Every structure is written in structure tokens, then in C-alpha cells.
Amino acid sequence: MQDRTNHALWAGPLLALFGFLSYYTIFYQWPALRDIPWLNLLLLIASVAICWKGFSQAKQHGGWRRIAGGAGLTLSTALTALLTYYCFSLSYGLPNATTAIQVGDYVPEITLQSHLGADTLLSGSERTLLVFYRGHW
Amino acid sequence: MSELQGLQSRISDFEAQGIQLIAISPDSVEQNRQVAEWLDLDFPILSDSMLTATDAFRLRHADAAPGGGDLPRPATYIIESGRIVWRDLTDNWRVRPRPDQLLAAIAQLES
């Protein structure tokens, strides 16, 4: 049998890396892709399939191809597991919110400095949408 | 960052409901200025670097920052005449209320 080029050997791991990293760099921006990361999980599952195909072909040749195929399959499986763990377990790791102030409570009289340096009272407006966000890092 | 950009994209809808937007972050005034400039925000980001407001709302999330240090947990409140009339404390830090959901909640408060 001719020694055919095994594209799956590099395409699989490449797709796995893209499928993992693009969640944090691109697709997190759209809530429909962020809340449930279905697009990234599809990409990752496809990458596992391609890596599996590459590995199966490489096994017949042995040598470095077999090692590269095994490494690709391991990488794609690990990244799929990691994103699943992050989205469905780790990101639920918030403290209990039972003590947080709730509907009906008065807003604490607190003044903070705005990004323009203006002292701003939290309850200074008649109607306000107050968003606590975790900062830029 | 998507959360603030999402709010900015619908700011005229919030203003039409008489709602003023305020974001609170644990970053410094200078960091907030850069973010507001970068995202072209028309609403203020307040600096809660001492976590004064975070503690007053009892939202402190200990050891949450990547390098250690505390952060507020994500939280969204609607305030009317100094009282809280609606809140969302997500149970997953990736998932925040979307502008559409907030506008729907505001419309429902009025009915």
C-alpha cells in the first residue's frame, strides 16, 4: 500500500485547539453560544473523531505517526473534557447567595467614584439598573 | 466584557424606560476609565476597589481572582426609589441576564 499523507494527524489536533480556545476568545461574546457552549463542544467532538481516524490510520504505519496520532487523540479528548468540566462544573463555583440583599431591601447609602472621577450615589436615580461585574482581567 | 457591551448596545431601550445604567467593578478608577473608553460606554463604571459596595450587598466571593484576592459575585439589581425591586444572582459566573431579559423584567415591573 502506498504511503498516503495522513491529514487527520495534524487537522485533528488543530481543530481541537481551535475548538477549545475559541470559546474564551471569540464565542463567549454571544450569550447563545456562551451559556451552553454547544458550538465549541461540537467542534471538539469533531476533532476527537478526526484524531481517532488519524490514529487508526497511523497505527498501520507505526513509528512517529503512531505516536503523533496517539498524542493528538489524547489532546483532543483532554480538551473536550476540560471545556465540559469548566462549563458544567467549575463555573458553578459561586458562594452561597442566601445572605445577599434582596427584593424589598433598601439600597445601602454608598458613594463610589465613576471612571470619570465623579462621586456617584448608588441610589441617586429614580430608576437604576445596577450591575456588579468582576472586573477586567 | 460582553455583558457591558450588551448593555451599551441597548442603552436607548433602557433610557426609554427611565432606567439609568450603573456598573460596579472591583477595578481602579483608571482601569475602569480605560475599559469605558475601549468599549465606548455611555454609562458609568464605578470603582469598588475596597469592596465597600460588594460587602454592603453581601456579594463577596473570596479567592475568586486568578492571582488570589476577592471579587464580587456577578449580580444584577433593579432599583426604584432607593429600594430593590428585582434581582438576579446567577448560579454560574458564565451566565448573566441578557439585555432582553432585563428589559422584559422592567416591563413586567410596570404592569
Side-chain angles (χ1 to χ4, degrees), chain B residues 14-58:
Chain B
F14 285 107
E15 282 170 353
Q17 303 276 1
I19 294 269
Q20 205 215 329
L21 300 182
I22 295 181
I24 298 181
S25 100
D27 292 336
S28 69
V29 171
E30 175 56 24
Q31 283 170 309
N32 288 339
R33 192 188 61 74
Q34 287 172 10
V35 169
E37 204 166 282
W38 178 42
L39 298 178
D40 210 9
L41 299 183
D42 294 319
F43 57 89
I45 310 179
L46 308 186
S47 170
D48 190 29
S49 49
M50 306 302 288
L51 299 184
T52 316
T54 299
D55 281 339
F57 280 73
R58 293 189 283 282

Side-chain angles (χ1 to χ4, degrees), chain B:
Chain B
M1 298 317 297
S2 57
E3 190 180 19
L4 301 186
Q5 282 167 298
L7 294 171
Q8 174 64 39
S9 72
R10 301 297 295 274
I11 192 162
S12 56
D13 293 319
F14 285 107
E15 282 170 353
Q17 303 276 1
I19 294 269
Q20 205 215 329
L21 300 182
I22 295 181
I24 298 181
S25 100
D27 292 336
S28 69
V29 171
E30 175 56 24
Q31 283 170 309
N32 288 339
R33 192 188 61 74
Q34 287 172 10
V35 169
E37 204 166 282
W38 178 42
L39 298 178
D40 210 9
L41 299 183
D42 294 319
F43 57 89
I45 310 179
L46 308 186
S47 170
D48 190 29
S49 49
M50 306 302 288
L51 299 184
T52 316
T54 299
D55 281 339
F57 280 73
R58 293 189 283 282
L59 298 171
R60 187 186 281 255
H61 183 182
D63 289 325
D70 300 351
L71 294 175
R73 61 173 289 139
T76 309
Y77 290 92
I78 297 171
I79 297 164
E80 278 180 9
S81 310
R83 284 180 93 153
I84 291 156
V85 292
W86 186 92
R87 73 168 190 179
D88 178 276
L89 303 173
T90 179
D91 61 357
N92 183 322
W93 73 63
R94 294 180 305 107
V95 182
R96 318 280 167 86
R98 307 174 192 182
D100 281 336
Q101 296 169 323
L102 294 169
L103 287 162
I106 291 162
Q108 207 157 25
L109 286 170
E110 284 181 342
S111 60

Side-chain angles (χ1 to χ4, degrees), chain A residues 4-135:
Chain A
R4 286 183 300 135
T5 317
N6 188 345
H7 292 299
L9 272 190
W10 56 266
L14 218 57
L15 185 64
L17 283 173
F18 177 74
F20 184 78
L21 296 174
S22 62
Y23 180 74
Y24 300 93
T25 53
I26 305 170
F27 297 123
Y28 77 96
Q29 296 176 59
W30 294 281
L33 301 176
R34 178 197 64 205
D35 294 358
I36 295 173
W38 57 272
L39 179 61
N40 290 90
L41 287 177
L42 275 178
L43 289 170
L44 283 164
I45 289 165
S47 80
V48 172
I50 294 169
C51 285
W52 175 253
K53 181 169 170 270
F55 181 55
S56 304
Q57 284 178 11
K59 271 199 296 195
Q60 300 163 9
H61 296 285
W64 68 268
R65 281 195 181 80
R66 189 194 167 97
I67 295 168
L73 189 58
T74 308
L75 178 78
S76 60
T77 310
L79 291 179
T80 307
L82 201 59
L83 189 73
T84 306
Y85 169 66
Y86 175 76
C87 290
F88 296 104
S89 176
L90 192 65
S91 61
Y92 282 95
L94 286 171
N96 196 316
T98 45
T99 61
I101 70 172
Q102 43 193 295
V103 171
D105 289 352
Y106 284 98
V107 175
E109 299 245 329
I110 289 171
T111 300
L112 296 173
Q113 228 182 356
S114 81
H115 65 283
L116 298 171
D119 284 337
T120 309
L121 184 66
L122 295 191
S123 54
S125 297
E126 185 55 29
R127 301 186 90 195
T128 309
L129 180 75
L130 197 63
V131 176
F132 281 86
Y133 97 114
R134 286 152 77 88

